Amino acid sequence: MTATIRPIPTRHPDSPRKVPGLGPFAKLLGIGNPDEQQWRRLGESLLVGDKPMDDLVEWMYAEGMSTMRPMFDRALEVGIDNVPGAPEPMRRFFAVVEATPDWVDQDLLRRGERVYRSGGNDALYFARDVSFVGGYLASGFNKTLLRTGALEKGPGKRFAETLTWAMDVSSVNGMALHGRGYRSTLHVRFIHSMVRRHVEAMPDWRTDEWGLPINQTDMAATLVGALLAPFVGGMAMGIVPSRSDIVAAAHLTRYVGWLIGVEDEWLPHGFRDGVRILNHCMTAITNPDDTSRQLALPMADDPLNWHYRNLPGLRGRIARAQHLSVASTFLGPRAMRVLGLPAYMPPWYPALRIPINLANSLANAVVPGQRDRAAVRGREAQEAFVRLLTGEDAATIGESAPAMDKSA
């Protein structure tokens, strides 16, 4: 049950805010602002976490996380029925997540995974430069990030971890039961619950103002922003999807959201519905403050420190300009100024990529087997980008979160 009698947190604005980047596309689809009931639910959901996982995590702490955590991780790998002596609370949780909903279409999931691999790096760049950097305009979510050490560890590290999760989700058979994406998604859900518990207990956390850490409204925006927004960005960069690809991307997003603990009312029932959810959430959580600059500036400069094989100084400056070009093109000068970034950067990178992506999209549509080849090439490019970010050390999901396994 999600209803609450507590007052809506004061971070919830009186009326919908403008959404940089996404607003024009939402209007193109005929999506307006949330109505009165939807607006109220956006505010109320700031106080709603993930009860099934939160209850399990609380029980695991009470029983001893050092004993319970290995059982949880084993259940992710092989299923709860193959964990000897698994206690009943853990069995109840996994009985639910392992019972894949009837509405899940495995063929659509496989196609959705391929769609994301086919997007190559341009979709990832949009995810980084627009969804991720633009997400810092949502200052309420920033309060949680800063309390998990986002500044000290660097926002680039968090993006590498998020990207690793997305790569797992879109791997071949990634969202099959116990596949890489399935395991990573439940791992992220577990980390979210521990962070929620950890941050809410901090003496300076103000629930009446900010709501719960990692609440349903923020989770819904993050889900669709991470999985559907890059798909939208790929379209803006000249990647033309088929109708079946659009359906598959939305279906994959819905199942990932269900598995990660997003409640039904925030799960997309199609591509347009996903854009609606993201747009409505962003009209409610876009509220920039000083934390927006604190997080955006290091992210903008992060390409200067990537792991280039040669000419690191020159390539770092080019990459910084490239990613600012993407951000500026889609976020617009006002949002860029608020984030403390250059108000205008010539849109040279999108201009270079759009004709190339249009030509590739045409080839995918008419050349037999080209979509499968595009998925292979796209994944190779994405893996190379991850190596560029992380060097020899692969990103570990949850590593940027504070150590919480032994906290009471």
Side-chain angles (χ1 to χ4, degrees), residues 365-386:
V366 300
V367 178
Q370 186 66 15
R371 291 188 183 276
D372 290 331
R373 290 188 287 271
V376 172
R377 290 196 303 269
R379 180 43 52 104
E380 289 173 350
Q382 291 167 351
E383 290 173 345
F385 182 52
V386 172

Side-chain angles (χ1 to χ4, degrees), residues 1-63:
M1 183 175 180
T2 61
T4 177
I5 59 173
R6 290 178 290 179
I8 290 175
T10 57
R11 66 175 269 200
H12 188 59
D14 294 332
S15 59
R17 305 275 175 82
K18 289 186 177 180
V19 181
L22 186 66
F25 188 75
K27 288 183 179 179
L28 185 65
L29 294 179
I31 298 169
N33 286 332
D35 60 31
E36 184 177 346
Q37 181 180 357
Q38 291 167 334
W39 187 248
R40 184 178 66 255
R41 289 296 302 135
L42 287 164
E44 291 171 346
S45 292
L46 294 171
L47 290 164
V48 182
D50 174 8
K51 184 172 173 54
M53 181 60 88
D54 292 345
D55 287 349
L56 178 62
V57 164
E58 195 64 40
W59 176 85
M60 290 172 70
Y61 275 114
E63 293 296 313

Side-chain angles (χ1 to χ4, degrees), residues 350-407:
L352 284 174
R353 293 299 302 173
I354 287 173
I356 296 172
N357 287 330
L358 286 172
N360 288 338
S361 296
L362 178 61
N364 290 342
V366 300
V367 178
Q370 186 66 15
R371 291 188 183 276
D372 290 331
R373 290 188 287 271
V376 172
R377 290 196 303 269
R379 180 43 52 104
E380 289 173 350
Q382 291 167 351
E383 290 173 345
F385 182 52
V386 172
R387 290 193 297 271
L388 184 65
L389 297 181
T390 64
E392 297 299 323
D393 300 323
T396 301
I397 297 171
E399 192 175 38
S400 64
M404 296 168 289
D405 274 16
K406 297 181 181 179
S407 60

